[in-house]
Amino acid sequence: MASVIVGSLVWVEDPDIAWIDGEVVEVNGEDIKVLCTSGKMVVVKASNVYPKDAEAPPCGVDDMTKLAYLHEPGVLQNLRSRYDMNEIYTYTGNILIAVNPFRKLPHLYDSHMMAQYKGAAFGELSPHPFAVADAAYRQMINEGLSQSILVSGESGAGKTESTKLLMRYLAYMGGRAAAEGRTVEQQVLESNPVLEAFGNAKTVRNNNSSRFGKFVEIQFDRRGKISGAAIRTYLLERSRVCQVSDPERNYHCFYMLCAAPTEDIQRYKLGNPRTFHYLNQSNCYELDGIDDSKEYIATRRAMDVVGIGSDEQDAIFRVVAAVLHLGNIEFTKGKEIDSSVPKDEKSWFHLRTAAELLMCDEMLLEDSLCKRVIVTRDETITKWLDPEAAALSRDALAKIVYSRLFDWIVDKINSSIGQDPDSKFLIGVLDIYGFESFKTNSFEQFCINLTNEKLQQHFNQHVFKMEQEEYTKEEINWSYIEFVDNQDVLDLIEKKPGGIIALLDEACMFPRSTHETFAQKLYQTFKNHKRFSKPKLSRSDFTICHYAGDVTYQTELFLDKNKDYVVAEHQALLSASKCSFVSGLFPPLAEESSKSSKFSSIGSRFKQQLQALLETLSSTEPHYMRCVKPNNLLKPAIFENKNILQQLRCGGVMEAIRISCAGYPTRKPFDEFVDRFGLLAPDALDGSSDEVAACKKLLEKVGLQGYQIGKAKVFLRAGQMAELDARRTEVLGKSASIIQRKIRSYLARRSFIVLRRSALHIQSACRGQLARKVYESLRREAASLRIQRDLRMHLARKAYKKLCSSSVSIQTGMRGMAARNELRFRRQTKAAIIIQSQCRKYVARLHYLKLKKAAIATQCAWRGRLARKELRKLKMAARETGALQAAKNKLEKQVEELTWRLQLEKRMRVDMEEAKAQENMKLQSALQDIQLQFKETKELLAKEREAAKRAAEVVPVIQEVPVVDNAMLEKLTSENEKLKAMVSTLEKKIDETEKKFEETNKISEERLKQAMEAESKIVQLKTVMHRLEEKISDMESENQVLRQQTLLNSPVKKSLDHPPIPVISNLENGHHMDEGNKSNELQMVTPVKKVGTESDGKPRRPNLERQHENVDALINCVAKNIGFSNGKPIAAFTIYKCLLHWKSFEAERTNVFDRLIQMIGSAIENEEDNSHMSYWLSNTSALLFLLQKSLKAAGSSGSTPNRKPPTSTSLFGRMTMGFRSSPSSNNLPAAAALAVVRQVEAKYPALLFKQQLAAYVEKIYGIIRDNLKKELSSLLSLCIQAPRTSKGSVLRSGRSFGKDSPSTHWQSIIDSLNTLLSTLKENFVPPVLVQKIFTQTFSYINVQLFNSLLLRRECCTFSNGEYVKAGLAELELWCAQAKEEYAGSSWDELKHIRQAVGFLVIHQKYRISYDEITNDLCPILSVQQLYRICTLYWDDNYNTRSVSPDVISSMRILMTEDSNDAVGNSFLLDDNSSIPFSVDDLSNSLQEKDFLEVKPAEELLENPAFLFLHE
């Protein structure tokens, strides 16, 4: 390290924690003495220390390329600082480093977080897997290139979880809308739990370690939607099926199946996992926090989603159970030499069960395990296997069965998901094992480390390419940078011929080869290779020098694990299985393939898969995610430096840093460089406004060589940053000396002044003390005299009181003794009396009890006698029960007969009623003719006429009295020609009719019910008529009232003259009109579909055409912008007046409402024009208000069929009442308002129109609000961060390097708000809607600013807080100017960002307690939000500290307690896009009187058909 001086802060290597920081206290040439922060003193070489950045933020940086010193200790410290704050993600360029927190952090991965990262530029927000996935997705869409995301890390680092997050985000971005069936993205996501169940297991380092590599290809169509997917797996760890070391576990599916429901366990004949050999080799059976029974159900459900049917699921778990039973088969020596048989009955049971589950022959299974068939040229030889070989054969069968099962599941998932042959792009997510180095490293570790060597080479090339692109982008001169290439290691392993894999395949092909001969071959071949070595104390091990370190491999099992062939007996056994699923796992081999390739190598096959993977990755644009495990205890809040450093080396992060250091490792933006090193050359900044020129002058002044000036950054060589910092430290040290000298002078003078003032205070205090002592002695003397006097008085008084008390006590004792003697005598006398009375009472009671006992005995004897007599009577009655039963049966028959007769009589009565009904109809028609010809006959029927009049008074239209007249006059119809002779005959017929009337009285009751319904309708019609009559103008004369009275009575007379239902030619609002008014009313009739007969269809046709013309004229007029009248929309008022006059609201059928809705819908198609949308919002809301006040449902009046009409039945009477009330001055506004808005009983079309209109009001409101949000969204992203300024230039030249004024963006927001407000005011939008628009907009501003503050560290600064606070002050001023009428509670909606910004600009935060923050400063913010702000905060102006560590600890404890609450953990806010008002809110904000002075459309006033608008 260059330029090390006393006082420099450095990093020193430490054997315990890797690196420790300290301060240089002494420099002796190359030897440096450092005082570490731990307190110990160390002496190290100058070349072995690294500089420490004293100005590095305590919470670290989110991108480590921003570090001033990019070296191992700096990277390690940055990761640790962020991990302590639960910031588990950090960038290194475009590489994401993820440190496993070992705890649930659901708030980091919810849908709100995905929405925040959607479309955000890479690096703009905090580091996150969503940012990597979004960058890959955007690059794929924008550039049309396939992408890949490589997730690596050692077991337990969180690769699988990170992969799930990446796939979840890609499914979020490329997912289709909800449709029928399972979507591709659902199947891809649900494939994870299925593969985890069969491919993951607990290891020493991880409870859910993936024991296979996985590459998921997600295919996208041209629109960026997921169209297909494929999953490729690599190198499943087969040996784990049979061999498990403590405290690891086998694959999860075995334990899930043992915890399955009881019926499944019984079906597969399973039990406790401790009873199975393949599971009980380890003492670990359960995992903390994992319920295997629930996992079994979840895995089944996931299988359903990915397309594995229930039959296939049963077959899968049947095979898994068979593997467990195979493991429990033990062997012992048989009768033959070197033979073997199942050991005992337990082994036979498991053998039979395995055969049953695999659906194969039991004996064939035994032979395949215990025998081998050797086919020679001449004969076939059957060879027995000893117990050891049989056990190996059993394990081989279990491994190959499980391996084939896993491959089948992967193939099934791929076939179910399906691949899109037309897909143009794909994003591949690689989740593969990290570099492994254990005490014992076998063939699996060899293949895993080969994979990592290949991926490291790919990674190095990518990092080098990124470095070159960075230099090219900044347009600086650069030379070729060398980096260590690991191609020699790859050649050592996979080169053909002569590589380790080739030699291993060669050894496997010779039957007599052993691991020792294989090792000797390796030693001979690679004895001079620099990457290969032989351990000294081993015969068969070898060591390879990988990029991450040396790894020693044990070759004992290399040959066995490399062989990839199926024993012929096993193949024949399982391919002949009766289960199609099992036989499908082992399809018969073709003869040609079996003869040509008898040997298959796992190593060679894996190498080919790896090559194909690298080719795929090379054809895509890579993105890297390195997962790191902070400790081996798998516990949170533990950060082991050495462990992490090793993982960073294995993950290639240190290699990437080394590549960066080979070029220009330090890259500082111009403003930061000037701010930091401007004090080295103050004269270079004087009067300068150009940062680039200032940087050049500064570097020339200090004399650095080899640096580069880019377009936006200064590029420094390795060591140059330390040299600049050393010079800066020297300048600061000199400045500190001057400051110290001045401070010491000031302190000495202040000390002298304090000392002199203290001497004066001491002198005055001594004099005062002496005076107080003299005064005290005099005071004590006076007090002693007073005490003596008071004491003598007290003693005398005490002697007197004692004598007095003694005399009183003697008197009291004597008097008490006398009283007690008297009391004793009285008690004795009273006791004697009581004893005497009790004795006498006892004698009397004894005599009474004897008499009572004798009386009771006498009564009991008599009652017993009577009871026996009654019993004899009951027995006699019981004998007569048979006779009673017969009588009962007889009565039942009589009842049945009577019931039948009653039903018959009812039918006869119904027939009679029908006949009488027909007869009544004839009588009615006859009566109508007779009434016109024979008035003298009516005189004979005077009594019946009076009854008819009484009925007519209650229900004028109901004609029930003529029923009596018809019956009486039935016989008169035949004597019309002889009038005088018929009078006497009618008198006789009257008598007969009276009798028939009594018989038909019951029939009339049913008709009366129907008449009552008609009566209720008439009452409703009369009520409407009364309402219309009351609204007639006060200026109408009495003659007009009388004419309308005759008009009202004319339909009643017609109905009396014509009892059958008349044909209604014109019906409007339920009223009948006479012929005189028809011609006047035709032009005012709405296009209502009226019900009539065919005879009136022709005269109505021209009327309908005229009505349609009127509607067309109305719509053509209001479709234009016809403006406003007295602050109210003319179009809405005109529409309402026309609909009210046409009585469309009361029509059963009409198309005018549909025409109006279509007109409004077409008018608001241009959603971008806020002025146009505001005009229609004003019209629709006003029309909705008028409808809300005017319309009421038909059944809402509360009238019942029996309800009487209003008291004043006479129209003239009601009008005179109106005349009396009209002069009242208090009722004038209400009466005028009623003239504008009238209540009518609406039918279904009108109510539906009201609902549709309310929907349009909400839609237009939402469009205006969303337009404003879109306009503000681009500005808000600029308002959250203050423009960068250079402190040096501000201090010296008074000018800022920033081009934009800080208030420019905020002023743009104010302008947008003012523009919309003026537009809404010009269109007279109701203030309540304006309030809601701005309230929701301010809520949106609050959400966007606050979320950006929490997601971007550069925003959580002191200067940025001041900038945002100034902008919020502008918004507060706008709210005050807009007034509460329009702004409402908008300012209150900014409470989150106001409190957060208020906290940022507070000085001395470290003195504030947690209670003060939560109760006083930020009561509305949650613990998660406060913790986020406190940990992200850094002061770019004054270098002030954030809150104290105690406050951070308190917040962390509270967050840990609430970690299970996913909702509570979310620190982001949600934007509320609901409609915040109802129709009632709109109605309450307006009044009917506001429409009094509104004038209709002038265009319609000229039309003769709209003359009613003049009223």
Side-chain angles (χ1 to χ4, degrees), residues 1359-1496:
S1359 61
N1360 198 62
E1362 292 178 326
Y1363 172 69
V1364 178
K1365 186 176 181 181
L1368 294 178
E1370 296 286 336
L1371 292 180
E1372 184 179 16
L1373 179 62
W1374 182 88
C1375 291
Q1377 293 174 349
K1379 299 180 182 179
E1380 188 177 357
E1381 180 184 7
Y1382 296 108
S1385 60
S1386 299
W1387 176 243
D1388 296 335
E1389 295 296 327
L1390 300 175
K1391 49 182 178 269
H1392 286 86
I1393 188 64
R1394 282 163 47 199
Q1395 293 185 8
V1397 168
F1399 175 77
L1400 290 179
V1401 298
I1402 291 176
H1403 293 280
Q1404 298 182 342
K1405 296 180 180 64
Y1406 59 90
R1407 295 185 178 181
I1408 305 174
S1409 67
Y1410 176 73
D1411 291 336
E1412 289 175 339
I1413 295 175
T1414 54
N1415 296 332
D1416 301 332
L1417 299 176
C1418 308
I1420 199 69
L1421 303 186
S1422 66
V1423 180
Q1424 288 76 14
Q1425 293 165 346
L1426 288 173
Y1427 180 81
R1428 184 88 178 172
I1429 295 173
C1430 292
T1431 53
L1432 291 180
Y1433 172 78
W1434 61 288
D1435 191 350
D1436 53 342
N1437 281 351
Y1438 311 110
N1439 291 325
T1440 58
R1441 290 180 289 165
S1442 183
V1443 296
S1444 64
D1446 294 337
V1447 174
I1448 294 291
S1449 300
S1450 302
M1451 293 181 183
R1452 194 175 296 162
I1453 291 171
L1454 292 173
M1455 289 169 59
T1456 304
E1457 292 174 355
D1458 299 337
S1459 60
N1460 294 327
D1461 182 9
V1463 178
N1465 271 295
S1466 180
F1467 53 76
L1468 299 180
L1469 300 179
D1470 297 333
D1471 182 29
N1472 182 16
S1473 298
S1474 61
I1475 301 300
F1477 62 87
S1478 63
V1479 179
D1480 293 334
D1481 296 335
L1482 185 62
S1483 299
N1484 296 334
S1485 65
L1486 300 175
Q1487 296 181 1
E1488 294 92 331
K1489 64 182 181 180
D1490 297 339
F1491 293 85
L1492 287 175
E1493 303 298 328
V1494 180
K1495 298 179 181 178

Side-chain angles (χ1 to χ4, degrees), residues 718-975:
Q720 290 183 336
M721 187 72 178
E723 185 177 347
L724 288 174
D725 268 341
R727 296 189 186 186
R728 181 172 177 269
T729 303
E730 187 178 351
V731 172
L732 289 175
K734 291 179 181 178
S735 302
S737 299
I738 297 172
I739 294 171
Q740 288 173 356
R741 184 181 67 198
K742 295 293 184 181
I743 288 292
R744 285 172 184 153
S745 171
Y746 166 74
L747 293 177
R749 178 173 178 79
R750 191 176 67 175
S751 176
F752 167 74
I753 294 173
V754 170
L755 188 62
R756 185 177 65 177
R757 189 183 298 119
S758 300
L760 293 175
H761 286 169
I762 291 171
Q763 290 174 359
S764 63
C766 289
R767 293 186 184 115
Q769 182 67 19
L770 292 174
R772 282 191 293 273
K773 283 186 177 181
V774 173
Y775 171 75
E776 185 67 22
S777 63
L778 295 174
R779 186 180 175 193
R780 288 174 65 85
E781 184 179 353
S784 62
L785 293 175
R786 186 169 183 176
I787 290 170
Q788 290 173 5
R789 183 191 66 192
D790 291 344
L791 179 61
R792 293 189 187 108
M793 180 185 70
H794 171 71
L795 293 175
R797 184 176 180 84
K798 183 177 179 182
Y800 167 75
K801 284 187 175 182
K802 186 176 181 182
L803 183 63
C804 181
S805 176
S806 299
S807 61
V808 171
S809 298
I810 293 170
Q811 292 173 0
T812 303
M814 295 299 292
R815 289 170 185 157
M817 184 175 66
R820 282 191 293 276
N821 289 338
E822 179 67 24
L823 177 63
R824 190 181 305 108
F825 173 75
R826 290 183 179 180
R827 284 180 176 173
Q828 289 175 354
T829 305
K830 185 176 180 181
I833 294 171
I834 291 172
I835 291 170
Q836 291 173 0
S837 64
Q838 292 294 329
C839 183
R840 292 178 186 135
K841 182 179 75 173
Y842 171 73
V843 172
R845 180 174 179 79
L846 189 64
H847 178 67
Y848 165 72
L849 291 175
K850 288 180 181 179
L851 290 176
K852 182 178 179 182
K853 185 176 181 181
I856 291 172
T858 305
Q859 289 174 355
C860 288
W862 179 253
R863 288 172 183 155
R865 181 181 176 189
L866 293 178
R868 284 189 292 274
K869 188 181 294 184
E870 185 67 25
L871 178 61
R872 284 194 295 272
K873 290 180 180 179
L874 290 174
K875 287 181 179 179
M876 292 295 293
R879 296 190 187 99
E880 299 174 0
T881 303
L884 291 174
Q885 184 67 32
K888 177 187 174 186
N889 294 337
K890 184 177 180 181
L891 287 173
E892 289 178 350
K893 292 181 180 179
Q894 291 177 356
V895 169
E896 291 177 358
E897 185 178 357
L898 290 172
T899 303
W900 178 79
R901 289 181 180 177
L902 181 60
Q903 293 175 351
L904 181 61
E905 187 153 347
K906 282 182 179 179
R907 282 196 292 271
M908 293 174 64
R909 187 175 299 174
V910 168
D911 296 339
M912 187 182 298
E913 287 173 356
E914 293 178 355
K916 289 178 179 178
Q918 296 176 358
E919 191 174 358
N920 286 338
M921 291 298 294
K922 295 178 181 180
L923 290 173
Q924 286 178 357
S925 59
L927 179 61
Q928 292 171 4
D929 298 333
I930 295 171
Q931 282 177 339
L932 295 173
Q933 299 176 6
F934 304 105
K935 291 184 179 180
E936 61 270 13
T937 306
K938 292 182 182 179
E939 294 175 0
L940 298 176
L941 303 174
K943 294 182 181 181
E944 286 77 3
R945 280 285 191 174
E946 290 175 1
K949 288 179 181 179
R950 284 195 299 271
E953 288 177 359
V954 180
V955 188
V957 182
I958 298 172
Q959 300 300 318
E960 290 299 334
V961 174
V963 173
V964 180
D965 300 338
N966 295 340
M968 178 192 64
L969 299 174
E970 180 182 358
K971 299 299 182 180
L972 297 177
T973 54
S974 60
E975 300 179 0

Side-chain angles (χ1 to χ4, degrees), residues 1151-1394:
N1151 63 352
V1152 65
F1153 298 130
D1154 296 335
R1155 298 280 305 279
L1156 289 172
I1157 289 297
Q1158 291 174 2
M1159 181 268 295
I1160 296 173
S1162 60
I1164 62 172
E1165 289 178 353
N1166 183 15
E1167 298 182 357
E1168 301 297 328
D1169 188 355
N1170 278 342
S1171 177
H1172 184 67
M1173 301 304 293
S1174 300
Y1175 170 77
W1176 280 107
L1177 179 60
S1178 178
N1179 275 281
T1180 53
S1181 58
L1183 182 56
L1184 180 61
F1185 163 75
L1186 294 171
L1187 296 183
Q1188 178 73 4
K1189 291 296 183 180
S1190 182
L1191 302 187
K1192 65 174 182 177
S1196 63
S1197 62
S1199 62
T1200 61
N1202 295 326
R1203 183 171 175 175
K1204 299 285 186 181
T1207 308
S1208 298
T1209 56
S1210 169
L1211 179 62
F1212 181 73
R1214 291 195 302 274
M1215 290 303 298
T1216 53
M1217 289 175 62
F1219 292 150
R1220 291 193 205 104
S1221 61
S1222 60
S1224 175
S1225 60
N1226 296 332
N1227 293 334
L1228 281 175
L1234 285 173
V1236 176
V1237 180
R1238 289 179 288 171
Q1239 284 199 348
V1240 293
E1241 291 184 357
K1243 301 298 182 181
Y1244 174 74
L1247 298 176
L1248 179 60
F1249 173 65
K1250 177 184 168 185
Q1251 293 177 358
Q1252 293 172 330
L1253 193 63
Y1256 267 114
V1257 172
E1258 295 176 356
K1259 180 180 179 180
I1260 299 172
Y1261 168 89
I1263 291 172
I1264 297 174
R1265 177 198 63 199
D1266 294 342
N1267 286 344
L1268 181 58
K1269 286 183 179 180
K1270 288 178 186 176
E1271 188 177 351
L1272 297 182
S1273 61
S1274 58
L1275 297 173
L1276 291 175
S1277 60
L1278 301 173
C1279 289
I1280 187 57
Q1281 188 174 4
R1284 291 187 176 274
T1285 58
S1286 174
K1287 288 189 283 189
S1289 64
V1290 171
L1291 292 175
R1292 291 168 178 80
S1293 65
R1295 290 183 293 174
S1296 171
F1297 288 137
K1299 297 180 181 179
D1300 294 335
S1301 172
S1303 61
T1304 303
H1305 306 308
W1306 288 102
Q1307 188 59 43
S1308 299
I1309 291 179
I1310 300 298
D1311 293 342
S1312 298
L1313 296 176
N1314 284 330
T1315 301
L1316 181 62
L1317 180 59
S1318 61
T1319 300
L1320 295 174
K1321 285 182 177 180
E1322 289 171 0
N1323 289 279
F1324 298 98
V1325 175
V1328 65
L1329 299 184
V1330 179
Q1331 280 185 15
K1332 298 300 182 181
I1333 288 175
F1334 288 114
T1335 300
Q1336 285 197 306
T1337 302
F1338 272 65
S1339 175
Y1340 173 76
I1341 294 174
N1342 177 65
V1343 170
Q1344 294 301 312
L1345 293 180
F1346 187 74
N1347 288 349
S1348 298
L1349 192 72
L1350 297 186
L1351 290 174
R1352 297 165 62 180
R1353 183 175 178 274
E1354 62 271 14
C1355 298
C1356 280
T1357 63
F1358 187 90
S1359 61
N1360 198 62
E1362 292 178 326
Y1363 172 69
V1364 178
K1365 186 176 181 181
L1368 294 178
E1370 296 286 336
L1371 292 180
E1372 184 179 16
L1373 179 62
W1374 182 88
C1375 291
Q1377 293 174 349
K1379 299 180 182 179
E1380 188 177 357
E1381 180 184 7
Y1382 296 108
S1385 60
S1386 299
W1387 176 243
D1388 296 335
E1389 295 296 327
L1390 300 175
K1391 49 182 178 269
H1392 286 86
I1393 188 64
R1394 282 163 47 199

